[in-house]
Amino acid sequence: MSNVNNDESAMEQGVLFEEGYLTRTHKLLTSSPDIALTELVANAWDAGASFVKITIPERCDELLIVEDDGCGMSEKDFSEHWMTLSYNRQKHQGKWATLIDESRTRLAYGRNGIGRHGLLCFGEEYTVITTQNGKECRFTITSKGNKPLTILRKSVQDTNAQKKHGTELQVKVQHNRPDPVRILNTLAARFVADPAFKIYVNNDTISLEDLTKGAKETTLSVEPNIKLKVLFIDTEKAARKSIYQGIAFWQQNRLVGEPSWILGKDQILDGRTAMAKRYVFIVKSNELSDFVASDWSGFIPQKTMDDVYVAVAKHVRDVFTKLNQDNLAEIKSNIKDDYKAAYSSLSPLGKFEVDEAITHIVTTKPSATPETISLAVEAVINLEQTRSGKALLQKLSQLRSDEISALDELLENWSVKDALTVLDEIDKRLS
């Protein structure tokens, strides 16, 4: 008879972590100052802050500080939110940021609760000082040891200070000391869409005018008497990406809704494309207040707003068409390199037709991806290589959209040879 140990406590085994688990698991966050500070500023954004002040020391072994005036955290909030790995913010708090001013709205940026640990980019121990409803909580946290995070010290006290809410993060910089100028330019570009959110780095800030220096400002007129000033921003010149891409509307320097590539029912760009992720348009006006929803979440549907959307959409498409035209020679060169052998075999007229096809696609479809253009050009080359290709193109151009969809469905299930075989058999039987 075997001996079985029924002592449940003897079978318990907690999860063990190698030291430095977080820094190894989220290496990009904990090794790139740009990403770390962007994530920490995004946390302040989600907390409804109107400003973030970052203090970067001149040398290591001094404090780097990130301070905001957001809603802050209670001791319970800190335990449930901050100390929960991969905390699902949208599930527990919804998609909207927590704002002190309830008349405003702001879409939250945070998703997976990892960004808050960005201070580990600079040292293995950091302090969180957070105030909510006049009660200050202070926590000192480390990533050393066999746990991802450990609270070394904590204190909770009432404060009579003027500061009733907000959070301050402190870390003694041991490595990856960031460059203040680079960080300021990066953060300003990424959060430029909302003028109500100010970012300071070592007491310096960048205004929209600074960020768009050299950019052309265009004035649009919409009947009866609406003036729109449109700024076009290439965020790649100031940062690797922008958190908010699309077209942002500012009514009296206040953001209306969220930046988007959709104007009314018209989608200007697919937000997943490289072009959509690179550029931001800011539409400034003082005459749209009558059309703003009471919670500033968007515009009330009106004919005037439809006219505004049409004017802005035309301008945006014109800008992208000009961009593509400027890059047309490079696009043509790249495509010809991809299809060098096939292109070389074409007649002079065939080459001309391919060039015309590329020009037409680039100028009329500014949102077309390089892959889409390449597929279209490949089809044109294949058609040019056949005697009946041009006639087929003419037939395709005369088909209605539903007929093209039906043809596409047919070719999904049948090869041309299959279709000809069936038609031949039908013709024989009818005969």
Side-chain angles (χ1 to χ4, degrees), residues 221-227 291 304 307:
S221 296
V222 180
E223 295 297 337
N225 51 8
I226 293 175
K227 297 289 185 183
F291 311 105
T304 302
D307 294 340

Side-chain angles (χ1 to χ4, degrees), residues 158-197:
D158 288 322
T159 174
N160 294 321
Q162 290 183 347
K163 184 174 181 178
K164 297 297 182 182
H165 53 82
T167 298
E168 181 177 318
L169 310 174
Q170 301 178 352
V171 62
K172 185 179 286 188
V173 177
Q174 303 298 328
H175 40 253
N176 298 325
R177 190 186 74 85
D179 173 39
V181 175
R182 174 181 169 83
I183 291 299
L184 180 56
N185 278 279
T186 298
L187 294 176
R190 292 179 177 178
F191 291 91
V192 70
D194 192 343
F197 188 65

Side-chain angles (χ1 to χ4, degrees), residues 8-113:
E8 291 187 5
S9 63
M11 294 188 292
E12 289 179 0
Q13 172 63 64
V15 177
L16 301 179
F17 295 86
E18 277 287 342
E19 187 163 346
Y21 165 78
L22 271 180
T23 55
R24 285 183 291 104
T25 306
H26 304 288
K27 196 167 183 179
L28 199 59
L29 173 72
T30 56
S31 63
S32 170
D34 288 17
I35 294 175
L37 289 171
T38 295
E39 293 288 346
L40 293 172
V41 171
N43 274 354
W45 169 280
D46 291 354
S50 64
F51 72 82
V52 179
K53 294 180 179 178
I54 300 173
T55 303
I56 298 174
E58 294 184 358
R59 59 186 64 86
C60 286
D61 290 324
E62 295 181 350
L63 287 181
L64 183 152
I65 300 171
V66 181
E67 180 186 4
D68 68 64
D69 66 340
C71 62
M73 291 177 285
S74 65
E75 185 178 10
K76 183 174 181 290
D77 290 339
F78 182 84
S79 175
E80 293 180 354
H81 302 173
W82 195 278
M83 294 301 291
T84 299
L85 292 182
S86 296
Y87 171 74
N88 189 330
R89 190 197 186 283
Q90 285 203 335
K91 176 182 176 181
H92 298 289
Q93 293 177 265
K95 66 178 183 178
W96 298 102
T98 306
L99 295 175
I100 305 301
D101 179 1
E102 294 183 356
S103 69
R104 302 174 67 88
T105 59
R106 178 190 288 173
L107 198 64
Y109 173 66
R111 297 291 185 271
N112 56 19

Side-chain angles (χ1 to χ4, degrees), residues 31-295:
S31 63
S32 170
D34 288 17
I35 294 175
L37 289 171
T38 295
E39 293 288 346
L40 293 172
V41 171
N43 274 354
W45 169 280
D46 291 354
S50 64
F51 72 82
V52 179
K53 294 180 179 178
I54 300 173
T55 303
I56 298 174
E58 294 184 358
R59 59 186 64 86
C60 286
D61 290 324
E62 295 181 350
L63 287 181
L64 183 152
I65 300 171
V66 181
E67 180 186 4
D68 68 64
D69 66 340
C71 62
M73 291 177 285
S74 65
E75 185 178 10
K76 183 174 181 290
D77 290 339
F78 182 84
S79 175
E80 293 180 354
H81 302 173
W82 195 278
M83 294 301 291
T84 299
L85 292 182
S86 296
Y87 171 74
N88 189 330
R89 190 197 186 283
Q90 285 203 335
K91 176 182 176 181
H92 298 289
Q93 293 177 265
K95 66 178 183 178
W96 298 102
T98 306
L99 295 175
I100 305 301
D101 179 1
E102 294 183 356
S103 69
R104 302 174 67 88
T105 59
R106 178 190 288 173
L107 198 64
Y109 173 66
R111 297 291 185 271
N112 56 19
I114 297 300
R116 68 195 62 186
H117 306 301
L119 287 181
L120 295 177
C121 178
F122 311 107
E124 296 176 326
E125 180 179 308
Y126 65 87
T127 298
V128 179
I129 306 167
T130 184
T131 305
Q132 188 179 89
N133 298 325
K135 181 170 286 188
E136 180 188 279
C137 301
R138 185 183 294 252
F139 306 89
T140 301
I141 299 164
T142 183
S143 61
K144 292 181 180 179
N146 62 359
K147 294 181 180 179
L149 290 174
T150 302
I151 297 177
L152 297 177
R153 295 176 294 279
K154 75 173 183 178
S155 65
V156 180
Q157 61 181 6
D158 288 322
T159 174
N160 294 321
Q162 290 183 347
K163 184 174 181 178
K164 297 297 182 182
H165 53 82
T167 298
E168 181 177 318
L169 310 174
Q170 301 178 352
V171 62
K172 185 179 286 188
V173 177
Q174 303 298 328
H175 40 253
N176 298 325
R177 190 186 74 85
D179 173 39
V181 175
R182 174 181 169 83
I183 291 299
L184 180 56
N185 278 279
T186 298
L187 294 176
R190 292 179 177 178
F191 291 91
V192 70
D194 192 343
F197 188 65
K198 302 295 184 183
I199 298 173
Y200 302 88
V201 178
N202 289 359
N203 293 321
D204 290 329
T205 188
I206 289 184
S207 67
L208 177 67
E209 287 70 25
D210 294 329
L211 193 65
T212 57
K213 197 169 290 182
K216 185 178 179 181
E217 181 178 281
T218 303
T219 300
L220 305 178
S221 296
V222 180
E223 295 297 337
N225 51 8
I226 293 175
K227 297 289 185 183
L228 306 172
K229 289 186 177 180
V230 184
L231 288 169
F232 173 54
I233 302 171
D234 182 353
T235 62
E236 197 169 87
K237 293 181 179 178
R240 283 177 293 180
K241 67 171 185 175
S242 172
I243 285 176
Y244 289 93
Q245 304 89 18
I247 303 164
F249 280 86
W250 290 6
Q251 167 59 27
Q252 294 178 321
N253 277 338
R254 179 172 173 179
L255 181 67
V256 182
E258 297 296 325
S260 170
W261 288 115
I262 298 175
L263 292 175
K265 297 179 180 179
D266 188 7
Q267 181 167 341
I268 308 300
L269 285 181
D270 182 342
R272 297 168 294 181
T273 63
M275 182 175 279
K277 292 177 180 178
R278 176 172 174 174
Y279 299 110
V280 176
F281 286 86
I282 293 178
V283 183
K284 302 167 69 175
S285 177
N286 294 322
E287 288 97 28
L288 298 178
S289 56
D290 290 343
F291 311 105
V292 177
S294 58
D295 59 359

